[in-house]
Amino acid sequence: METHTMAAGQGHPYFPQDALIPGYAPNSTPLPVILGAFGGIIGAFVLSCVTLAKWYSPALKRADQLTISWFALCGFLHLFFEGYFVLNHTTIPSSQSLFAQLWKEYALSDSRYLTSDPFMLCIETLTVLTWAPLSLLTALLTARNRAHEQGTRHLLQAIVCVGHLYGVALYYGTCGFAEHMAGLSYSRPEALYYWGYYVGMNAPWAVVPCLLLWRSAGAVRMAFGAVARGEEGKKGR
Amino acid sequence: METHTMAAGQGHPYFPQDALIPGYAPNSTPLPVILGAFGGIIGAFVLSCVTLAKWYSPALKRADQLTISWFALCGFLHLFFEGYFVLNHTTIPSSQSLFAQLWKEYALSDSRYLTSDPFMLCIETLTVLTWAPLSLLTALLTARNRAHEQGTRHLLQAIVCVGHLYGVALYYGTCGFAEHMAGLSYSRPEALYYWGYYVGMNAPWAVVPCLLLWRSAGAVRMAFGAVARGEEGKKGR
């Protein structure tokens, strides 16, 4: 990070260059090390969840295993990574903990994470309190794979997907409007940060929820369809 | 509105008192007149929707009629009233059209509607594009009351309810964080504006979606339950 142009006077590499980030200290650990550690922790958590699920429900389909991976990933990120931001947003700029260094790196693409931006704090607090537990609960119900819980499972899956889609739309949208209205960019201009971090790292929450919502919608329509045919059958007798 | 204290130099009655609202002109029509006109239009629209629904589906239950009223109300407000804001947010402060005068009155409890606030513009644009058509579609499917559309109807109802709940949580939340973090209030301090307009007029979108989501969750669980029992019955034969 030390290679970036520092804004005159503010002593940080973030955009907008006049953003106030008191106490900022550049990361002390090389990027590959913090990314490797983060990837390792996430990978271990997601793999453990899927392994546990397959042990508990050996008949689990491939698609359900992928669904569990997704919601375990979401639950982990919401609860621990975003939870860390909500609890420590004032000290992240000066901290050298693993999660603080990750946030400082990501913030090159969105400085709102280092300026205690009220919108980010608000949406992240709601994410930690709502989407974190609901994501983990959806993973759990998918893993249990019980016939009488399929309604709750698909309803929860649809709810969390709507939350993710609305959330990511607002996340991109608030930046888009800030840029459009006030010419304000929270991301450094380099492609790595804008396209790689800001667009790329959030894009999965615009794509995967669409697929999962589609699947749950299909399951719900099928269940109601079966009920409707059952009732028609009774009338026909 | 002319009776309110105007902030020195800014010439408007809104909070924070140093908010920039260029071209502000006090409302020219008495409040009871604009409220009466607005209530009349909304009442006529909602009543027309329910009357049409009862004509089309005479067997419609009372609860479904109320559901249609709710989503017709939401659809109208999202599409026309909030749509007006999205299209005319820069000219509302100086305009004397019915909707502009209503926004100027409501903005006494939330000045972000007169300052082209990026968060408000973003969430309102999403509301107009997403929740408006989905609200009206839910009202339509409820009115048609067809057995094979009940799955789609309850899924849509649940989706719109999640959108409303997330939206109102963010609406209250962003104000709450702005006040907590920066001591910034967008509402005039009088109880009428803070409790009556800001809290009271948005509270229905925190309460009604909970009830409707609960009803849809019950319907979805019942449908999946019937399917599960049907499959158990087949196995038992």
Side-chain angles (χ1 to χ4, degrees):
Chain A
M1 214 186 291
E2 291 79 342
T3 55
H4 294 305
T5 329
M6 301 263 186
Q10 297 298 347
H12 67 68
Y14 300 99
F15 272 64
Q17 294 185 308
D18 58 357
L20 288 174
I21 304 173
Y24 167 71
N27 279 355
S28 58
T29 313
L31 184 57
V33 177
I34 56 171
L35 286 186
F38 194 48
I41 295 170
I42 289 177
F45 181 79
V46 170
L47 211 68
S48 304
C49 289
V50 176
T51 308
L52 218 68
K54 279 164 75 175
W55 167 78
Y56 185 83
S57 305
L60 219 52
K61 284 179 203 145
R62 188 60 150 183
D64 287 337
Q65 291 176 27
L66 288 172
T67 304
I68 293 166
S69 306
W70 171 254
F71 285 111
L73 171 72
C74 293
F76 181 89
L77 291 175
H78 294 338
L79 197 58
F80 297 111
F81 191 52
E82 290 164 87
Y84 181 90
F85 163 74
V86 170
L87 293 177
N88 302 289
H89 61 95
T90 54
T91 57
I92 286 175
S94 60
S95 170
Q96 300 295 357
S97 76
L98 173 65
F99 279 7
Q101 293 198 53
L102 285 160
W103 275 121
K104 281 190 276 179
E105 178 65 21
Y106 177 75
L108 292 166
S109 82
D110 187 352
S111 67
R112 294 179 296 176
Y113 281 100
L114 298 186
T115 57
S116 299
D117 181 88
F119 169 69
M120 290 317 308
L121 273 171
C122 179
I123 198 166
E124 289 292 5
T125 303
L126 284 173
T127 298
V128 174
L129 296 179
T130 313
W131 309 126
L134 293 185
S135 292
L136 294 173
L137 190 58
T138 308
L140 182 77
L141 291 182
T142 310
R144 289 219 292 208
N145 200 24
R146 295 183 186 172
H148 70 280
E149 285 175 352
Q150 291 304 303
T152 309
R153 174 243 161 134
H154 280 293
L155 193 78
L156 273 180
Q157 181 164 311
I159 288 173
V160 178
C161 288
V162 173
H164 281 150
L165 290 171
Y166 200 7
V168 86
L170 286 167
Y171 180 69
Y172 285 141
T174 45
C175 278
F177 272 99
E179 186 143 17
H180 178 71
M181 306 285 300
L184 199 67
S185 176
Y186 298 112
S187 174
R188 286 191 62 89
E190 293 88 349
L192 170 67
Y193 301 118
Y194 188 80
W195 292 104
Y197 287 14
Y198 172 67
V199 176
M201 284 188 183
N202 293 290
W205 279 268
V207 177
V208 180
C210 285
L211 302 175
L212 290 171
L213 184 57
W214 186 254
R215 269 174 61 85
S216 281
V220 168
R221 274 200 302 265
M222 204 149 72
F224 276 90
V227 171
R229 280 191 302 278
E231 278 172 10
E232 273 175 26
K234 276 182 204 163
K235 279 180 204 163
R237 275 178 211 164
Chain B
M1 213 187 288
E2 292 77 341
T3 56
H4 295 305
T5 329
M6 300 262 184
Q10 297 299 346
H12 66 68
Y14 300 98
F15 272 64
Q17 294 185 309
D18 58 357
L20 288 175
I21 304 172
Y24 167 71
N27 280 354
S28 58
T29 313
L31 184 56
V33 177
I34 55 172
L35 286 185
F38 194 48
I41 295 170
I42 289 176
F45 181 80
V46 170
L47 211 68
S48 305
C49 290
V50 176
T51 308
L52 218 68
K54 278 162 75 175
W55 167 80
Y56 186 83
S57 306
L60 218 53
K61 286 181 202 144
R62 187 63 149 180
D64 287 337
Q65 292 176 26
L66 288 172
T67 304
I68 292 165
S69 307
W70 171 254
F71 285 111
L73 171 73
C74 293
F76 181 90
L77 291 175
H78 294 340
L79 196 58
F80 298 109
F81 192 52
E82 290 164 87
Y84 182 90
F85 163 75
V86 169
L87 293 177
N88 302 288
H89 61 95
T90 55
T91 56
I92 286 176
S94 60
S95 170
Q96 300 294 357
S97 76
L98 173 63
F99 279 7
Q101 292 199 52
L102 284 161
W103 276 121
K104 282 190 274 177
E105 177 66 21
Y106 177 75
L108 292 166
S109 82
D110 187 352
S111 66
R112 294 180 296 178
Y113 281 99
L114 297 186
T115 57
S116 298
D117 180 90
F119 168 70
M120 290 316 309
L121 272 171
C122 178
I123 198 166
E124 289 292 3
T125 303
L126 284 172
T127 298
V128 174
L129 296 178
T130 314
W131 309 126
L134 293 185
S135 293
L136 294 174
L137 190 56
T138 309
L140 181 77
L141 290 181
T142 310
R144 289 218 292 208
N145 200 24
R146 295 184 186 170
H148 71 278
E149 285 175 352
Q150 291 303 303
T152 309
R153 173 242 161 135
H154 280 294
L155 194 77
L156 273 181
Q157 180 164 311
I159 287 173
V160 178
C161 288
V162 173
H164 281 151
L165 289 172
Y166 200 7
V168 84
L170 285 167
Y171 180 69
Y172 283 141
T174 44
C175 278
F177 273 99
E179 184 143 19
H180 178 72
M181 306 285 301
L184 199 68
S185 177
Y186 298 111
S187 174
R188 285 191 63 90
E190 293 90 349
L192 171 67
Y193 302 118
Y194 187 81
W195 292 104
Y197 288 12
Y198 171 66
V199 177
M201 284 188 181
N202 293 290
W205 280 268
V207 177
V208 180
C210 285
L211 301 175
L212 291 171
L213 184 55
W214 186 253
R215 268 174 62 86
S216 282
V220 169
R221 274 200 302 266
M222 205 147 74
F224 276 91
V227 172
R229 280 192 302 279
E231 279 172 11
E232 272 175 26
K234 277 182 204 163
K235 279 181 204 162
R237 272 177 212 167

